[in-house]
């Protein structure tokens, strides 16, 4: 990674990519699901300590998650980070199509924690997690990728101060698989594959159904939507 650091810095700081660290557009949050039982307007607030799955997957187990809708060229089917993830097939969600798509509007007073760099994830874990309860890495993840993911936030504690946690596109590029170590713990954000916000409290004041997504989109235009 170190030999590539100047290139990474140049790309991240290029003025053409100034939109990468932007907060999510609150009036254009997209929710995709293949489960007809899911109502995106009903957000379950996390409760209790972090589960083993939440420690591994680094997300609340029961969540409503959105990705920001982008302004794209006519005919472009990749209109958010979630669409790009489906198009590339890089994530671990293999849904049954068609997918329900809903555009959600987030309340102006919603409190959103922004992750733009690896230190932001580390700070979230240190403030709201319990590093002392961490029992070590997933053996499978360690064997396959050599990744010790470290502790994760306790999402019920995060929800007391924040309504959602947003990983920006810049945050995804700069933070994924990057170890941050302090005297208390080492953390590695590894399980957030695209720009996204898991919501921890009910924050939506409008929902607009969009046409269903009939098949996996073409993700080739995502990094240059304009």
């Amino acid at each position: 990674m170190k030999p590539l650091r100047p290139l990474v810095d140049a790309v991240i700081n290029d003025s053409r990519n100034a939109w990468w660290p932007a907060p999510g557009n609150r009036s254009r949050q997209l929710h995709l699901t293949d489960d007809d039982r899911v109502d995106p307007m009903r957000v379950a607030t996390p409760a209790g300590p972090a589960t083993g799955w939440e420690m591994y997957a680094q997300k609340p187990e029961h969540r409503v998650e959105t990705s920001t809708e982008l302004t794209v060229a006519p005919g472009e089917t990749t209109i958010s980070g979630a669409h790009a993830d489906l198009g590339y097939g890089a994530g671990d969600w293999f849904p049954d199509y068609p997918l329900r798509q809903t555009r959600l509007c987030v309340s102006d007073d919603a409190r959103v924690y922004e992750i733009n760099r690896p230190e932001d994830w580390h700070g979230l874990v240190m403030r709201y997690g319990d590093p002392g309860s961490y029992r070590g890495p997933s053996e499978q993840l360690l064997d396959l990728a050599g990744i010790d993911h470290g502790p994760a936030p306790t999402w019920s504690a995060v929800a007391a101060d924040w309504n959602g946690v947003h990983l920006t596109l810049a945050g995804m590029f700069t933070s994924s698989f990057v170890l941050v170590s302090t005297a208390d713990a080492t953390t590695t954000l590894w399980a957030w594959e695209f720009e996204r916000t898991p919501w921890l409290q009910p924050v939506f004041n409008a929902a607009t159904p969009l046409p269903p997504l009939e098949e996996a989109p073409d993700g080739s235009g995502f990094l240059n939507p304009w």
Side-chain angles (χ1 to χ4, degrees), residues 65-121:
E65 190 170 81
T66 63
S67 189
T68 303
E69 182 179 3
L70 300 171
T71 302
V72 298
E76 173 61 56
T77 58
T78 299
I79 60 175
S80 76
H83 289 77
D85 186 62
L86 291 170
Y88 291 130
D92 57 2
W93 184 32
F94 304 97
D96 295 323
Y97 291 89
L99 302 185
R100 284 172 48 216
Q101 301 188 105
T102 307
R103 180 184 293 130
L104 298 167
C105 184
V106 179
S107 171
D108 289 339
D109 59 3
R111 297 159 296 158
V112 181
Y113 183 92
E114 300 283 345
I115 299 176
N116 267 310
R117 55 195 186 119
E119 290 80 9
D120 295 332
W121 171 254

